[in-house]
Amino acid sequence: MKKIFQYKNDYGLAIVQQMCRKFVIASIIILASAIAFGDTNPIGLVLSGGGAKGSFEVGALQYLYENGFCAGVICSTSVGSVNAIQLAHGGTKTSQKAAFDKLKTIWQTELTFNQDMYVEAPWLAGVSPRTRTAIASLFDPQTIDFPQLARDVVFFPPYAIGQAVVLGGDLQEGIEGLKNAQSIFTLDPIRSKLKSNLNGGVVASSGVELRLVAVSLDSGAIRYITQDGHVLETDGRPVAGADPTVCPAERAAYEAAIQARMDLLERSHTERTNLSEELKRAAAEVLKARTRLGQCTTRAGSKRLVVNVADGVIASASIPCVFPPVVLGNESYVDGGVRWVLPLKAALDFPKTEAIVAINASPAGVPSAKLAYRNTNLLDIAERSVLDILLWEIQERHLEVAKLEALQHRKKVWVVTPRADVHDTLTIDPGLIDINIGYGYMCAADVVTNFPFAPLPLSNIHGDFEARNGRIIRRPPTPAEGMFVNEAANPTLAALADAIAKCRRRCWELEYNVFGALPGDAPFDPRYELKRVPSPQDLDEVRLFKSLLFVLVAARQELHGKLPPGAASWADSWERHRWAPSDVPGVGNTPWSAFVSPAGNRVAATRPTAMLVKAPDKDPVYLLTPFRCWITSPEALARVNVGGAAVNEIPAEYLDALPKGSDIL
């Protein structure tokens, strides 16, 4: 009997031991999986340059943070660095989400006019109004169409002088002014916002690895500024420079001079008073204070270069000739986008980042030609070759190298990129910011489809794991596939996202006429004037496009495409502007309210939920329900009841974006 009990006990113990062994093996495999898939390793985030188009990044980030995103490594350039420094205040999901919420609030409440991001350089305060106006006109997209990447990355001063003369400026005055000038504008407003919102100690201790990318004008080298202000070579070696603790009085005087000038600019804007003489004196004080600081730091000795991280942000965002270079140590630095518009390489160099999300604020690819070049002159050919093709070639080569490196190191990379521009690099407007945020949200949702990051097959990262005789065995890794995603998984959803952004942009443009608004002269005087007669004809067109917007949004919902919160109200609301609807008597609170104007009245209306449309110069008529249903004959059209609505013409690109429904016979 004892032997029987002993046998049963031994057998039970063996079963328990086997179960424990299997549990331990399974736990090890799960732990290995978690390590391999980024549950313990930091996720990388890459943010590109693009000036005012940084609002696209905000929209893409909104989608990510709504889904539990948290970046352990953030690499950025230009406006991406302005966004990155705010995100770096949080090292956990909760704190980084809170940091993002503050970033979004800043974009939507503190950026209304161009001067909320940049102001004219001090030397321009002394030129004649005619030359000043001529230079201002260079930055008005309706006056001269700069190649898009040139607006994003670089500005060519000799071209500016020539164009300013053509537009009525004084050649001698322009040349004299540019002799000692380093830029047309300054980023003083951004510096002021950094002073108010940046907590360097929190950023340095948050646990986020930060790499702000800037380019040295002296050496041409790409350099990184870290979360604690260290300046590094791309291989991690420290850069030598001036001691940041020296010249405290000169630094304080420089910051005080900048703040005094910002206060005057704010008074000039809010009180609409002429403070030109005071602004000239304030600008002169800024130049003097900057010169004294530069002289002082030059006299200081060299050591491992550590800078104020706010200076690193401004350096990374200083588009050459548009904004002045920033002196860090013994060298002058400009926008990192000169060499890396989207600094993916910086994130790939972190060995532990196995999942990276990169957000590019500008469309990829060579811009389409606007001329027939067989009949153009030398300047047209040079402009197209250098400012369009060559600069885009540099960016595309960098992306190809980054893609190859990602595949070699078995890393998962998503690249979120717009396919259309909502606004240009230098235009700050609340409506365009809102539209671009919504567009960025949809683009991110369409590309990063399996977020939060689901575990990839172990073979794609570290090889297969399996249990053999109670031991964990790892087989060699197999070649990775699909590790670099830079296109939307569903082309129809992508086309709808583009169409929605373009439709909202069109409504925003038309609403200027509806409200009788005149925009100010960009970029020096961004104020608007409500002095034209509100247009009922443009209201009719706004209502047409708002009806179309409803159909486009409904189609995206029908296909289970993600939309930002509040998207359901887009078709029933005005786009946001620098004025409130109540500022204009007779214009209602929505596009569907009653409208009264000396030019004509419109009764209140209910937004339709379906439309009869056709493309210009084409016969087929479609019912948008939100599917695009072809009405095959006049008899079929007569049977379609859309509340007596007429057939409207809309651009073909909107029709093409909508999913095809059943034909109406």
Side-chain angles (χ1 to χ4, degrees):
M1 183 66 68
K2 279 186 175 183
K3 288 184 178 181
I4 293 174
F5 278 115
Q6 180 67 40
Y7 172 78
K8 288 184 177 179
N9 287 339
D10 291 344
Y11 179 75
L13 180 61
I15 293 293
V16 171
Q17 288 176 336
Q18 186 177 8
M19 291 175 64
C20 289
R21 187 179 296 111
K22 288 183 178 180
F23 176 78
V24 170
I25 291 171
S27 299
I28 293 174
I29 292 176
I30 292 172
L31 178 61
S33 174
I35 293 173
F37 309 137
D39 287 348
T40 57
N41 289 342
I43 295 173
L45 175 65
V46 181
L47 301 175
S48 80
K53 291 187 282 188
S55 53
F56 178 88
E57 297 175 351
V58 176
L61 290 168
Q62 180 182 352
Y63 168 74
L64 295 175
Y65 284 109
E66 283 181 3
N67 289 277
F69 182 79
C70 183
V73 174
I74 306 178
C75 305
S76 59
T77 189
S78 198
V79 71
S81 294
V82 178
N83 290 335
I85 196 67
Q86 176 58 36
L87 299 177
H89 282 81
T92 65
K93 285 185 178 181
T94 302
S95 60
Q96 200 167 103
K97 173 63 165 61
F100 165 75
D101 290 340
K102 184 175 181 180
L103 174 67
K104 185 168 180 277
T105 299
I106 291 172
W107 272 92
Q108 292 189 309
T109 64
E110 297 186 22
L111 295 175
T112 302
F113 298 94
N114 295 342
Q115 70 179 42
D116 293 329
M117 181 175 278
Y118 60 89
V119 293
E120 63 188 78
W123 68 273
L124 280 169
V127 303
S128 68
R130 190 172 74 137
T131 299
R132 188 170 175 273
T133 300
I135 294 175
S137 299
L138 294 174
F139 295 86
D140 184 351
Q142 296 178 354
T143 304
I144 292 180
D145 184 18
F146 279 102
Q148 192 59 51
L149 188 62
R151 295 178 65 88
D152 292 353
V153 180
V154 69
F155 182 69
F156 189 41
Y159 181 70
I161 295 173
Q163 293 293 347
V165 172
V166 170
L167 293 169
D170 184 278
L171 176 61
Q172 185 61 33
E173 187 177 49
I175 291 175
E176 288 299 323
L178 286 170
K179 274 183 180 179
N180 299 312
Q182 291 192 315
S183 67
I184 305 296
F185 309 110
T186 75
L187 286 169
D188 290 350
I190 294 298
R191 186 181 288 277
S192 179
K193 285 178 172 58
L194 287 172
K195 187 176 180 180
S196 302
N197 296 292
L198 173 60
N199 187 324
V202 171
V203 169
S205 61
S206 70
V208 175
E209 288 286 346
L210 196 60
R211 296 295 183 268
L212 310 175
V213 179
V215 172
S216 167
L217 286 176
D218 299 85
S219 66
I222 298 169
R223 302 268 171 74
Y224 301 151
I225 297 92
T226 68
Q227 66 278 3
D228 51 6
H230 285 80
V231 182
L232 306 176
E233 304 285 2
T234 54
D235 60 4
R237 291 179 295 112
V239 175
D243 187 342
T245 62
V246 302
C247 311
E250 287 79 1
R251 291 181 192 278
Y254 179 47
E255 291 179 2
I258 289 175
Q259 189 59 50
R261 183 166 180 260
M262 290 302 302
D263 292 342
L264 278 174
L265 284 167
E266 182 64 23
R267 276 184 56 201
S268 174
H269 170 63
T270 56
E271 301 173 11
R272 301 209 172 189
T273 55
N274 188 350
L275 301 174
S276 57
E277 291 302 319
E278 292 91 333
L279 284 169
K280 285 182 182 180
R281 288 193 291 271
E285 287 302 317
V286 171
L287 287 176
K288 289 179 184 177
R290 184 182 179 190
T291 301
R292 293 192 195 102
L293 176 59
Q295 292 170 343
C296 180
T297 54
T298 300
R299 291 192 297 269
S302 295
K303 58 184 296 187
R304 182 170 179 164
L305 182 57
V306 182
V307 301
N308 185 319
V309 72
D311 292 334
V313 172
I314 299 298
S316 179
S318 291
I319 302 172
C321 302
V322 177
F323 305 121
V326 176
V327 177
L328 303 178
N330 301 319
E331 298 178 67
S332 294
Y333 289 81
V334 294
D335 194 322
V338 170
R339 292 192 59 181
W340 288 354
V341 176
L342 184 68
L344 253 175
K345 180 74 167 60
L348 290 168
D349 285 343
F350 279 88
K352 293 183 179 180
T353 54
E354 291 167 349
I356 299 169
V357 176
I359 306 173
N360 199 352
S362 300
V366 177
S368 58
K370 297 179 176 64
L371 300 171
Y373 283 90
R374 60 182 175 272
N375 298 320
T376 53
N377 59 33
L378 181 147
L379 290 176
D380 290 330
I381 295 170
E383 181 184 276
R384 175 67 172 167
S385 301
V386 177
L387 298 181
D388 273 355
I389 299 173
L390 180 59
L391 289 178
W392 277 118
E393 176 69 15
I394 293 171
Q395 180 181 358
E396 288 178 347
R397 285 188 182 184
H398 174 69
L399 288 176
E400 284 302 315
V401 170
K403 181 177 180 179
L404 179 62
E405 186 171 335
L407 294 173
Q408 288 176 339
H409 293 282
R410 311 290 198 275
K411 297 194 177 187
K412 181 69 174 177
V413 178
W414 289 266
V415 181
V416 181
T417 304
R419 291 163 296 275
D421 269 324
V422 170
H423 59 170
D424 61 42
T425 309
L426 296 174
T427 299
I428 298 295
D429 183 275
L432 296 180
I433 287 171
D434 279 2
I435 296 168
N436 219 21
I437 287 175
Y439 185 37
Y441 186 104
M442 292 184 287
C443 288
D446 292 344
V447 172
V448 194
T449 54
N450 54 342
F451 188 86
F453 301 117
L456 299 168
L458 280 171
S459 58
N460 280 347
I461 305 294
H462 294 297
D464 286 331
F465 290 83
E466 64 178 26
R468 289 182 186 174
N469 301 322
R471 297 176 59 201
I472 299 296
I473 304 296
R474 184 172 67 184
R475 291 201 299 264
T478 57
E481 294 181 1
M483 305 294 285
F484 193 95
V485 181
N486 61 351
E487 293 181 352
N490 186 326
T492 302
L493 287 178
L496 284 168
D498 297 346
I500 289 170
K502 291 176 182 178
C503 189
R504 294 186 69 193
R505 178 66 160 80
R506 180 60 180 151
C507 290
W508 175 86
E509 292 172 352
L510 291 166
E511 287 169 14
Y512 263 85
N513 295 331
V514 173
F515 284 91
L518 277 174
D521 294 329
F524 299 136
D525 183 12
R527 293 176 296 187
Y528 60 89
E529 294 182 279
L530 298 170
K531 67 178 187 180
R532 292 188 296 179
V533 176
S535 169
Q537 290 78 21
D538 284 282
L539 175 63
D540 294 338
E541 194 167 355
V542 167
R543 288 180 173 180
L544 171 64
F545 276 91
K546 286 293 184 180
S547 301
L548 175 60
L549 179 59
F550 171 81
V551 171
L552 293 168
V553 170
R556 188 171 166 88
Q557 287 178 316
E558 192 72 23
L559 297 178
H560 307 291
K562 300 291 179 61
L563 287 159
S569 66
W570 288 344
D572 297 318
S573 309
W574 299 112
E575 298 300 333
R576 209 154 61 95
H577 294 279
R578 293 164 175 164
W579 63 85
S582 58
D583 292 343
V584 183
V587 178
N589 290 325
T590 78
W592 305 99
S593 303
F595 177 89
V596 179
S597 167
N601 303 333
R602 294 292 185 269
V603 298
T606 301
R607 176 192 38 75
T609 57
M611 302 175 66
L612 291 173
V613 301
K614 65 186 291 291
D617 303 322
K618 293 187 178 179
D619 294 329
V621 176
Y622 297 90
L623 173 66
L624 307 185
T625 64
F627 293 101
R628 172 171 47 95
C629 303
W630 177 36
I631 301 174
T632 58
S633 67
E635 293 76 20
L637 178 59
R639 291 193 297 270
V640 174
N641 182 14
V642 191
V647 177
N648 291 289
E649 287 190 355
I650 63 171
E653 62 180 326
Y654 295 110
L655 277 174
D656 295 340
L658 287 163
K660 189 178 185 302
S662 302
D663 295 342
I664 299 175
L665 303 175

